[in-house]
Amino acid sequence: MAEPLLQTCGITKSFGALKASDAISLDLRPGEIHALIGPNGAGKSTLIKQIAGNMQPDSGTVHFLGQDVTVLDTVARARLGLGRTFQISALAMDFTVLQNAVLGALGARGDVMRFFRPVMKDRTLVARANEALERVGLQDHAAMRTAELSHGQRRQLEVAVALTLKPKAFLMDEPMAGLGGGGSKRLTGLLDGLRAEAPILLVEHDMDAVFALADRISVLVYGQVIATGTAAEIRANPEVRRAYLGEEDAA
Amino acid sequence: MTRESYINAGLTFLLVLAPFWAWSMGQAYILTLCTKVAILALAGVGLNIALGLGGLVSFGHAAFFGIGGYAMGILASHAQTFDPIMDWPILIEGTKSMPMIWLVAMITSALAALLIGALSLRTSGVYFIMITLAFGQMLYYFTIGWPAYGGEDGLSIYVRNIFPGLNTLVPVQFLILSYVILGFALLFSARLSRAPFGLALTAARQNADRVETVGIAPFRLRLVAFVISGAITGLAGALFADLNRFISPTMFSWHTSGEIMIFVILGGVGRLYGPVAGAALFILLEHLLGGVSDYWKIFLGVLLLAVVLFARGGLIGTLAGREVGHG
Ligand SMILES: Nc1ncnc2c1ncn2[C@@H]1O[C@H](COP(=O)(O)OP(=O)(O)O)[C@@H](O)[C@H]1O
Ligand SMILES: [Mg+2]
């Protein structure tokens, strides 16, 4: 089996009495989509934040590309090649869609301290940004103000910005939320192909997408991973059915 | 061209026209007013880089304005008494040369901004405002208690400093000099806001998480912006001192910080010509209303309140509307 690219070891994080992450150990291997599912408040976003570097775990470590990155901040982890999308869109709302994507391309190239040449006339950056917008289907909205996008389109833009980084691994927190059927199908197709470029740790509520895409699924409940396995294994797991899928069926 | 660039062109035209008009009317003092507008606008252009582009609400830009002023005062006063600033370990003499004074003003205020920024940019919001204010006030009280350069009374420079090839004592020549410098600063600021640095800086103002996630550290962006901002406001301070041929601790006081901020807010935060429109409006109001009532600043306050409540984009924003585009 291939060496994991990304690995958490015993990540633990408490908010007062609440254990949002309870000794979470999971990994992401080359070429795979590893889906992380669980009910609301299970601690999925909290885990993503600790992997991305926005939040320090109380204990446990994060390894990325064979390196212990636990003490590194978000910027350093991004520079190492961790591409991340937020559950609640974190975009520059006054920018155009294209400007947000160009920002990503600029970050990837890393030469921010330039003070004279217009960035939107930089062909390389703009081409890279447009390519990413096209892949998520936002090419016709490039000149639109980001604040005017629908919630679904913002999620798409989040993915596009992550694409401009050409990262070595993706962390995606509910990228399909708010997308209509068409958008969701398109993004499913995109992620399907994307895993060959870089593996994806995917937090997602859309079960159809998860079962269609995921090579492996981990189920998080009350901060604990209660099961990890293939779609079939997870479907058949009685504990998972009781704790999570059962609720969905009942609802 | 966008609507905003027409408005900017119109403002430039008015500013250039005003001295001609003053000259034809024989109202020489208007030249001084125009020079003052240009210099104060320059101070605002500096602040606008931190405040408008970076979202850094600095209430201490008087620190840089004052440092620029004192750089001029110290250099020129030593030159006029032929008394070196220091003779050990190296000899440093005063100078009356404007380019030299400007250079010193910009370097010292940039260094001060580096220090103040490195300490204050770790905080944000109201703490940032308070810390920058505190640094400005610290320098204010320091200069009050610094007898070598006039202490509380300030210091007069008897003859305006010199610029090669010009006679700066002729008001119109000093006016042109100020206009040209403001023009360069506007040009620089326009390029900066469209450059990669400007894109990242304005993105960090809107959403710091986004910037970090693409691998750019907001702190570094903000610090560099603060240094550039401080250097430009420092240059304005040196020119302002030369305009008045006088420096005093008032340059460092929080009133000065507040006024520079008022120029930017009145004219339009983050708008290229915001500080120009704001400074022009401020001087115009001071001139028109100051004669009518000593309490003209009450009117200014009401106007400021109206802008903050109803016209967020200031004068330029109200006239030009929201700016959307790839520029
Ligand atoms: N910064 C925080 N401070 C306190 N509690 C938090 C914080 N962030 C998340 N939580 C709590 O931790 C739990 C897990 O949250 P989250 O990771 O957002 O869940 P999920 O993404 O799985 O829906 C929730 O109960 C939430 O209220
Ligand atoms: Mg979540």
Side-chain angles (χ1 to χ4, degrees):
Chain A
M1 195 181 294
E3 273 288 294
L5 245 85
L6 180 68
Q7 199 169 20
T8 73
C9 280
I11 291 273
T12 298
K13 179 85 191 172
S14 302
F15 298 119
L18 177 81
K19 260 199 173 156
S21 305
D22 192 353
I24 299 175
S25 297
L26 50 77
D27 60 29
L28 184 66
R29 299 169 192 154
E32 77 167 345
I33 292 181
H34 186 159
L36 185 63
I37 63 172
N40 264 325
K44 303 181 295 292
S45 296
T46 303
L47 178 64
I48 295 286
K49 280 177 203 155
Q50 291 170 94
I51 298 176
N54 302 79
M55 193 185 270
Q56 274 294 315
D58 296 338
S59 63
T61 58
V62 180
H63 281 79
F64 182 47
L65 303 171
Q67 182 183 343
D68 186 343
V69 296
T70 319
V71 295
L72 298 184
D73 63 7
T74 309
V75 175
R77 293 187 207 191
R79 298 214 61 83
L80 278 177
L82 206 50
R84 184 251 174 118
T85 74
F86 289 82
Q87 179 177 6
I88 298 164
S89 296
L91 296 161
M93 288 295 169
D94 290 337
F95 276 4
T96 63
V97 168
L98 182 60
Q99 279 174 320
N100 267 296
V102 166
L103 177 70
L106 177 66
R109 203 169 68 182
D111 54 348
V112 199
M113 291 298 164
R114 287 168 171 258
F115 303 91
F116 299 106
R117 304 293 281 285
V119 67
M120 300 309 287
K121 296 216 167 94
D122 187 318
R123 294 232 181 97
T124 330
L125 292 182
V126 173
R128 191 159 171 174
N130 273 320
E131 183 196 311
L133 291 180
E134 198 155 326
R135 284 183 80 181
V136 301
L138 278 179
Q139 68 277 15
D140 296 335
H141 297 81
M144 202 186 236
R145 209 170 145 253
T146 304
E148 272 146 33
L149 294 182
S150 71
H151 279 285
Q153 289 169 325
R154 289 181 198 173
R155 331 256 0 117
Q156 288 173 299
L157 182 52
E158 284 269 338
V159 175
V161 178
L163 287 175
T164 62
L165 300 175
K166 297 201 163 69
K168 303 207 172 67
F170 287 98
L171 301 173
M172 296 193 184
D173 200 349
E174 303 200 23
M176 314 234 180
L179 286 181
S184 172
K185 197 168 269 169
R186 177 176 187 131
L187 194 53
T188 305
L190 173 63
L191 297 191
D192 194 11
L194 198 57
R195 76 180 104 194
E197 291 168 38
I200 307 168
L201 183 61
L202 176 69
V203 173
E204 192 43 68
H205 265 306
D206 181 337
M207 284 305 133
D208 292 336
V210 166
F211 284 116
L213 280 174
D215 300 291
R216 286 189 301 156
I217 300 173
S218 288
V219 183
L220 197 65
V221 178
Y222 294 124
Q224 280 183 327
V225 175
I226 59 168
T228 297
T230 63
E233 286 164 5
I234 292 298
R235 270 207 190 90
N237 185 314
E239 201 181 345
V240 172
R241 293 190 72 89
R242 194 166 52 249
Y244 183 50
L245 294 177
E247 293 174 5
E248 287 261 312
D249 289 346
Chain B
M1 263 186 25
T2 62
R3 189 143 136 212
E4 184 165 340
S5 46
Y6 281 113
I7 292 167
N8 295 348
L11 254 172
T12 310
F13 184 68
L14 282 179
L15 271 183
V16 173
L17 205 65
F20 285 104
W21 175 76
W23 184 63
S24 70
M25 304 287 286
Q27 310 263 28
Y29 73 95
I30 291 190
L31 294 186
T32 309
L33 284 189
C34 289
T35 314
K36 198 169 167 189
V37 167
I39 294 172
L40 294 180
L42 180 67
V45 169
L47 177 63
N48 206 20
I49 289 173
L51 175 63
L53 301 183
L56 309 170
V57 188
S58 163
F59 205 7
H61 259 51
F64 314 123
F65 195 71
I67 287 173
Y70 272 73
M72 177 291 211
I74 291 169
L75 289 169
S77 68
H78 283 276
Q80 80 188 359
T81 55
F82 301 101
D83 172 28
I85 295 172
M86 60 188 221
D87 48 21
W88 192 91
I90 45 163
L91 178 71
I92 299 181
E93 288 185 283
T95 174
K96 295 287 285 177
S97 151
M98 282 191 186
M100 197 60 208
I101 287 170
W102 297 342
L103 190 69
V104 172
M106 289 181 78
I107 290 173
T108 45
S109 39
L111 287 174
L114 184 66
L115 187 74
I116 295 176
L119 295 169
S120 59
L121 286 168
R122 315 237 168 234
T123 65
S124 61
V126 114
Y127 297 100
F128 180 76
I129 299 176
M130 285 300 135
I131 291 184
T132 49
L133 172 67
F135 276 112
Q137 288 301 94
M138 243 159 69
L139 288 168
Y140 172 66
Y141 288 113
F142 174 74
T143 44
I144 283 185
W146 193 20
Y149 300 101
E152 197 169 0
D153 300 330
L155 181 71
S156 285
I157 302 299
Y158 303 117
V159 184
R160 187 166 285 155
N161 294 304
I162 47 185
F163 190 91
L166 291 183
N167 181 355
T168 54
L169 291 172
V170 178
V172 74
Q173 299 206 13
F174 189 57
L175 171 90
I176 292 171
L177 201 56
S178 306
Y179 272 18
V180 169
I181 291 174
L182 174 64
F184 274 118
L186 286 170
L187 208 66
F188 172 73
S189 165
R191 297 220 69 142
L192 183 80
S193 68
R194 284 170 183 196
F197 177 78
L199 184 85
L201 179 66
T202 45
R205 180 194 74 219
Q206 297 170 60
N207 199 318
D209 279 336
R210 166 47 57 210
V211 174
E212 289 180 359
T213 304
V214 301
I216 303 171
F219 178 79
R220 270 187 66 203
L221 294 171
R222 290 174 180 149
L223 188 57
V224 171
F226 202 70
V227 168
I228 294 172
S229 170
I232 294 175
T233 301
L235 175 60
L239 285 165
F240 192 73
D242 235 325
L243 174 69
N244 301 321
R245 277 166 276 173
F246 176 69
I247 56 165
S248 81
T250 315
M251 292 187 83
F252 282 106
S253 93
W254 65 270
H255 291 100
T256 305
S257 295
E259 280 182 9
I260 302 174
M261 199 182 287
I262 288 172
F263 307 147
V264 177
I265 294 172
L266 275 186
V269 177
R271 302 304 182 117
L272 179 62
Y273 266 64
V276 181
L281 190 63
F282 186 94
I283 296 300
L284 202 65
L285 287 176
E286 182 180 51
H287 184 62
L288 295 178
L289 299 176
V292 178
S293 156
D294 285 343
Y295 298 110
W296 76 276
K297 284 203 172 159
I298 295 177
F299 298 107
L300 180 72
V302 172
L303 183 68
L304 198 62
L305 208 61
V307 166
V308 172
L309 289 177
F310 307 113
R312 276 297 176 87
L315 203 60
I316 303 281
T318 309
L319 295 174
R322 177 148 51 206
E323 189 182 15
V324 186
H326 288 144

